[in-house]
Structure formats: structure tokens, C-alpha cells
Amino acid sequence: MTAKRPFIGTSWKMNKTRAEAAAFCATVAASRLADCEAAQLFVIPPFTALVEVAGALAGTKVLVGAQNAHWADAGAWTGEISPLQVKDAGATLVEIGHSERRTFFNETDQAVALKTAAVVRHGLAALVCIGDTREEYEAGETDAALRRQTEAALSKVEWQEDTRVIFAYEPVWSIGEGGTPADPAFADEKQAAVKAVIEAAIGRPLPVLYGGSVNPENCVALATRPHIDGLFIGRSAWDAAGYLGIVRQVIDAMA
């Protein structure tokens, strides 16, 4: 059995100026971890820094992503960015359906499905975020919520040999300041359930990452669970040293 090669990455959300992004990338690019084979690193900056970050990390094995993309290639969509523009900026990955997009910008399962299909159609990897709200969690509806979101995200994808879709389970009650980290056993159980939904829907496995208050104290306990294929980190990885520290911890634990 081959060793697991976890994805370990971070989205900066609406943070970092271009100068701050450049400083982060300089630290990461100078690290031996930027070219490691033991994990797949990725960074998702805001659109304003996307070109610079893609350029700064171009000589490394770190993937660079965008935080969103529209489903149309072009058109009268003021304020939106198309998958073609994301690709032109140097990104190879697009984050789709984060709970903040769903909650505050009214993104529906249908919108997530359209975006996922559009992104992979242009050869980009889709990183689809799914998660249960606190209300769904407390009502025992986590599995139903994850099934609905997962099946919807896959519903319009036209599968090719090189189509890349990655899921990230991020409990909404676990994200951000004041978020409650999920128990690693609970997270692993839910990841296993999502994987079963994926297999039933498309007949092939896809990576499922965990995100939600990942930090230096819980990263190893989460990443070493059998059904967790990597970590999607928030504020604990916004400092380059903090990010690399988590990567090193996980790699060492898996060695």
C-alpha cells in the first residue's frame, strides 16, 4: 500500500496586501518543503495577489488557486472572474462553494454545480467545500447535508481522464474565530461518509480534505486519520512560518 500524500493548503480569504503576499511566498519558496514529495502544498490568495503569487511559486511544486470563479467563460457579469481569467492569472486550482460564499453571497448547490463543471472543463482543479451548519449538526442532519452538497457538486461534471475534483469537509460550526475544532474521529467518520457518496455517484474515489480550525495542536491527529486526505487551513497558516510548521509536523508524523 502506497503512503498517503496529503494535500496541505491555506486560503487567505480577504487578507494580505500584495507586499504581504510576496513576503509569504518568499519564505515558502525558500523552504525545502516547497519541493517536497511527501505532501502536496497549495496556497489560495485573493484575486489581487493571484498573478504575483503564481509567479513567485512557479518554480516550486506548490499549487496556486483562486478563491472563486464564475461558471461563464466571459460576459456581462460585473465583479466576477471567469475560469479562463483564473487560468490566465497562473492558477491551477479554484476553491468553490465555501460556506461564507453560500451563507453571505447566497451561493446555491446549483451555482456550485455550474462552477465545478466550468472549472474542470478548462483543466483546472476544483476544490469544493462542503459542510454542515450548527443547526444541521445539532439536529443530526450532518450526513444528509453533506450528501446533498456532494451529489450536487458532481452532478454537472463531464468526466475526462484528467478531470480533477477535490472535496474539503469544513463544518460551518468549526470555521473562523470562535469555531469549535471537530473531534478527529468525528471528522474521519464524516469524511468516510462523503467518500461513500462520491463512489456511489461516480464510481471512482476523490480526495476529501478536512478544514475547520486546523491548528498546530490538532493537525497531526486529523491528517493521520485514514479517511482524511489532507488539511485545508485557515488563520493558523496565514503566517508562512506557521504554515510550514504544520506541513513539517504532518510530514514527520507520516514518515
Side-chain angles (χ1 to χ4, degrees):
M1 183 174 166
T2 57
K4 182 162 69 172
R5 185 179 186 233
F7 288 83
I8 309 176
T10 180
S11 171
W12 297 343
K13 306 189 182 235
M14 197 176 72
N15 294 287
K16 293 195 189 298
T17 61
R18 289 160 60 201
E20 290 166 343
F24 181 102
C25 291
T27 300
V28 170
S31 167
R32 284 184 292 180
L33 294 173
D35 289 314
C36 75
E37 294 289 350
Q40 175 59 72
L41 279 62
F42 66 95
V43 174
I44 306 181
F47 285 124
T48 51
L50 187 52
V51 171
E52 283 93 341
V53 170
L57 297 176
T60 72
K61 292 179 178 166
V62 182
L63 299 179
V64 176
Q67 294 181 19
N68 190 23
H70 198 270
W71 56 77
D73 291 355
W77 300 98
T78 302
E80 292 292 321
I81 305 290
S82 78
L84 287 171
Q85 290 170 319
V86 166
K87 198 171 183 177
D88 184 55
T92 57
L93 177 80
V94 182
E95 178 184 0
I96 298 170
H98 189 279
S99 66
E100 291 155 3
R101 300 294 315 172
R102 295 176 189 259
T103 301
F104 300 113
F105 300 98
N106 304 312
E107 285 198 5
T108 62
D109 288 342
Q110 170 78 356
V112 170
L114 290 169
K115 291 181 177 193
T116 303
V119 161
V120 300
R121 187 170 65 247
H122 289 292
L124 297 161
L127 175 57
V128 182
C129 300
I130 56 174
D132 49 328
T133 64
R134 180 163 294 283
E135 292 74 21
E136 289 167 332
Y137 171 68
E138 291 177 349
E141 295 171 358
T142 293
D143 288 352
L146 296 181
R147 174 181 293 277
R148 185 192 77 243
Q149 293 171 21
T150 301
E151 289 178 343
L154 295 170
S155 65
K156 298 183 183 301
V157 174
E158 295 178 7
W159 294 96
Q160 308 293 336
E161 192 70 33
D162 59 350
T163 300
R164 293 172 299 158
V165 178
I166 305 158
F167 281 88
Y169 170 44
E170 297 194 305
V172 181
W173 43 270
S174 187
I175 295 170
E177 267 185 301
T180 308
D183 178 79
F186 173 86
D188 190 57
E189 178 188 318
K190 297 310 158 194
Q191 310 261 145
V194 170
K195 290 187 170 195
V197 171
I198 292 167
E199 286 270 11
I202 64 171
R204 62 194 271 190
L206 296 175
V208 183
L209 319 186
Y210 173 77
S213 297
V214 175
N215 58 55
E217 286 69 50
N218 65 15
C219 60
V220 169
L222 288 162
T224 52
R225 290 281 170 166
H227 301 104
I228 295 179
D229 298 317
L231 304 174
F232 194 15
I233 316 162
R235 65 192 66 245
S236 291
W238 291 346
D239 171 77
Y243 174 47
L244 294 172
I246 289 175
V247 173
R248 171 56 65 197
Q249 275 198 72
V250 171
I251 288 174
D252 287 350
M254 291 184 160

